[in-house]
């Protein structure tokens, strides 16, 4: 059993702490440090960590997957480390810190809470009916969120999420006062040259030339419309700069000249009957 006045230091190496006795404890700055893994196997747990519990840039793994008792883990004081938490089969209440935490609640009717942070972590409610609880200012649009049915927003709070995240909450949405949900969208390229907005409408992707469609579109504009439409002015400027930079004519202009020469010679060449009768462009034989 942990006590707030304890000093337990794992020092160097990979250290594991096993917990099986029920307890309620708020860890101090030196109560528990330099541990990499905590295994919870039994007993109802209510543990609140300190910012010093996880070292800067380190990850503390909390594994309660074999426990049938409820686990309450509050890591909201953590500012420079991360948690990887796995809940048990009971109804757990799990709170991460301000880092990119990974929290999987497991079985039971669980609650995972996210504070007033912009989170890029991974949060999975698991089986049964689970609730995601968001504090005022929480932004989960960059996080991976799955397995939740219910959503609870702090009274008067403003939270941010994607449309897909918002759509997954098919159960109860609880908001005690006047709350605001900002729904963002992520740009998605469906295929070359097309992109869909939030309402499913297709639009031209300006970066499509990287996929080939833009190149064909650009080539058609350079060659001009075969139905007789005028070529855009910027194409002539492009040809001018190409000639000045590379010391040669633009490849499109060269293709046009070659095309005219082929057709010009073809028109001047006499056919067999003309050669026989001596009538061709060069005069009588």
């Amino acid at each position: 059993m942990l006590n707030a006045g304890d000093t337990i230091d794992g020092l160097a190496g990979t250290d594991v702490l096993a917990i099986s006795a029920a307890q309620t404890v708020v860890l101090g700055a030196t109560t528990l440090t330099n541990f990499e893994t905590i295994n919870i196997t039994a007993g109802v747990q209510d543990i609140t960590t300190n910012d010093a519990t996880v070292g800067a840039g380190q990850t503390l793994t909390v594994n309660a997957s074999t426990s049938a008792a409820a686990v309450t883990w509050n890591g909201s004081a953590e500012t420079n480390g991360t948690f990887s938490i796995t809940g048990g089969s009971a109804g757990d209440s799990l709170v991460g810190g301000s880092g990119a935490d990974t929290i999987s609640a497991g079985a039971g009717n669980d609650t995972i809470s996210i504070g007033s942070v912009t989170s890029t972590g991974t949060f999975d409610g698991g089986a049964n009916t689970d609730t995601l609880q968001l504090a005022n200012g929480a932004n989960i649009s960059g996080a991976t969120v799955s397995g939740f049915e219910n959503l609870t927003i702090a009274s008067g709070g403003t939270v941010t999420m994607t449309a897909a995240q918002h759509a997954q909450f098919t159960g109860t949405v609880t908001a005690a006062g006047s709350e605001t949900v900002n729904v963002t969208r992520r740009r998605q390229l469906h295929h070359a040259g097309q992109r869909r907005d939030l309402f499913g409408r297709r639009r031209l992707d300006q970066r499509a030339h990287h996929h080939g469609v833009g190149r064909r579109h650009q080539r058609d504009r350079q060659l001009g419309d075969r139905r007789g439409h005028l070529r855009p002015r910027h194409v002539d400027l492009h040809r001018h700069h190409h000639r000045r930079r590379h010391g040669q004519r633009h490849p499109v202009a060269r293709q046009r000249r070659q095309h005219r020469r082929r057709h010009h010679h073809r028109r001047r060449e006499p056919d067999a009957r003309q050669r026989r009768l001596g009538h061709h462009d060069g005069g009588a034989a």
Side-chain angles (χ1 to χ4, degrees):
M1 178 182 293
L2 295 171
N3 295 293
D6 294 339
T7 300
I8 307 173
D9 191 340
L11 300 175
T14 302
D15 305 290
V16 179
L17 176 68
I19 296 177
S20 59
Q23 59 188 312
T24 298
V25 60
V26 177
L27 304 182
T30 60
T31 304
L32 186 68
T33 56
N34 294 316
F35 277 83
E36 287 68 41
T37 302
I38 297 177
N39 290 328
I40 300 174
T41 57
V44 176
Q45 307 294 326
D46 189 343
I47 300 174
T48 301
T49 66
N50 188 279
D51 188 24
T53 303
V54 184
Q58 303 300 309
T59 299
L60 175 61
T61 299
V62 180
N63 185 2
S65 59
T66 61
S67 177
V71 174
T72 298
W73 185 275
N74 187 347
S76 58
E78 187 57 51
T79 61
N80 54 17
T82 58
F83 293 104
S84 178
I85 305 174
T86 303
S89 58
D92 302 319
S93 178
L94 308 174
V95 183
S98 59
D101 301 318
T102 299
I103 303 179
S104 178
N109 298 329
D110 308 302
T111 299
I112 294 179
S113 300
I114 299 176
S116 303
V117 298
T118 298
S119 178
T120 57
T122 301
F123 306 95
D124 183 5
N128 292 35
T129 302
D130 305 296
T131 301
L132 182 66
Q133 185 170 304
L134 301 179
N136 179 31
N139 185 341
I140 61 171
S141 60
T144 301
V145 179
S146 61
F148 293 94
E149 289 74 33
N150 303 328
L151 173 66
T152 299
I153 303 173
S155 178
T158 298
V159 299
T160 303
M161 66 185 66
T162 67
Q165 290 170 342
H166 184 267
Q168 75 171 282
F169 299 107
T170 57
T172 303
V173 177
T174 302
S178 178
E179 288 70 35
T180 302
V181 177
N182 296 322
V183 178
T184 65
R185 64 183 181 185
R186 295 177 180 174
R187 292 186 300 178
Q188 296 181 350
L189 291 175
H190 286 255
H191 56 78
Q194 288 186 356
R195 188 168 55 195
R196 294 184 184 271
D197 60 17
L198 181 62
F199 304 99
R201 297 175 298 199
R202 292 186 297 180
R203 55 180 177 172
L204 179 65
D205 184 2
Q206 295 178 353
R207 297 175 296 174
H209 63 273
H210 294 300
H211 303 279
V213 172
R215 286 196 295 270
R216 292 195 298 273
H217 180 65
Q218 183 181 15
R219 184 183 64 223
D220 292 341
R221 295 178 67 182
Q222 290 173 345
L223 293 175
D225 195 316
R226 294 183 179 180
R227 293 188 295 274
H229 294 176
L230 295 177
R231 194 169 59 249
R233 173 62 180 164
H234 76 272
V235 175
D236 295 333
L237 294 177
H238 178 64
R239 186 194 317 174
H240 171 71
H241 293 307
H242 181 90
R243 183 167 59 247
R244 293 187 59 185
R245 178 179 298 179
H246 301 284
Q248 60 184 0
R249 294 182 181 272
H250 193 275
V252 175
R254 184 167 58 250
Q255 293 173 7
R256 288 171 177 268
R257 289 196 305 275
Q258 293 173 354
H259 178 77
R260 287 197 296 267
R261 290 194 189 107
R262 286 195 298 268
H263 284 273
H264 178 71
H265 293 308
R266 190 176 303 153
R267 288 195 300 270
R268 294 178 59 86
E269 182 179 356
D271 58 19
R273 183 172 179 274
Q274 289 175 327
R275 285 197 298 271
R276 225 175 19 251
L277 297 176
H279 301 294
H280 55 84
D281 293 340

